[in-house]
Amino acid sequence: MRLYDPDTERLAELPPGPLHLHVEGPDLRAYLTADLLRRVAGRHRRVRVTSSGPPPPGRPLADYNILGVDIVAEAPTPHVRIGGPHRPNGLHLRPAPGLDPPPQDVDPVTLRLAVLSVPYRDPLDLPTGLPAAQRLLDQWRSLLTEWSR
């Protein structure tokens, strides 16, 4: 698995074996990025996701379908850091800002789809992305209802 390293501006190969991702800061976009990486990498290896900071304010992470984040007292030495301030050592993904704090009046599944529809380094346009994500979810839910009959 390869990830873009913003320090070298190249793709970096992740080491084989178990993978450790660490989320820094309360930005929901960092947690969603880590969760997506956990799901993709978890198909072929064990993945641990930790966080040393507070989770995003408002809803629990489970409402956004983010599972398995271990809160740790001290920042460990992970393979990949996501969010937070720049650190010179190791691979550090820095999602574009835009969800700190996350909107509380939006369905969390819709917000998840809107965020994950945009590359993590690109700015979010929630006024456009949320209605598009809601339409897509409505279509999928309609199809599921139709298929279940």
Side-chain angles (χ1 to χ4, degrees), residues 18-37:
L19 181 64
H20 182 187
L21 308 172
H22 185 75
V23 180
E24 295 189 350
D27 185 24
L28 178 61
R29 194 167 191 188
Y31 280 89
L32 288 168
T33 302
D35 186 65
L36 179 64
L37 286 173

Side-chain angles (χ1 to χ4, degrees), residues 2-143:
R2 298 181 303 167
L3 296 175
Y4 177 78
D5 183 349
D7 293 332
T8 63
E9 296 183 355
R10 296 177 179 226
L11 291 175
E13 190 74 36
L14 293 177
L19 181 64
H20 182 187
L21 308 172
H22 185 75
V23 180
E24 295 189 350
D27 185 24
L28 178 61
R29 194 167 191 188
Y31 280 89
L32 288 168
T33 302
D35 186 65
L36 179 64
L37 286 173
R38 177 188 63 80
R39 290 169 190 268
V40 171
R43 294 177 181 168
H44 304 289
R45 60 169 87 188
R46 281 194 354 249
V47 180
R48 179 177 185 216
V49 179
T50 59
S51 175
S52 56
R59 297 175 182 270
L61 292 174
D63 285 3
Y64 300 99
N65 202 19
I66 300 171
L67 306 173
V69 177
D70 296 327
I71 305 299
V72 295
E74 220 173 280
T77 306
H79 296 104
V80 181
R81 289 183 186 277
I82 303 163
H86 174 70
R87 299 195 188 264
N89 56 342
L91 185 56
H92 189 175
L93 304 182
R94 293 183 290 282
L99 282 177
D100 189 16
Q104 298 301 306
D105 58 342
V106 176
D107 170 49
V109 176
T110 303
L111 183 59
R112 179 185 175 96
L113 180 59
V115 171
L116 293 179
S117 296
V118 177
Y120 73 93
R121 292 181 287 152
D122 293 352
L124 289 174
D125 180 11
L126 288 181
T128 302
L130 285 171
Q134 186 63 59
R135 282 190 304 276
L136 185 57
L137 283 173
D138 289 344
Q139 289 173 348
W140 288 347
R141 289 171 177 150
S142 175
L143 287 171

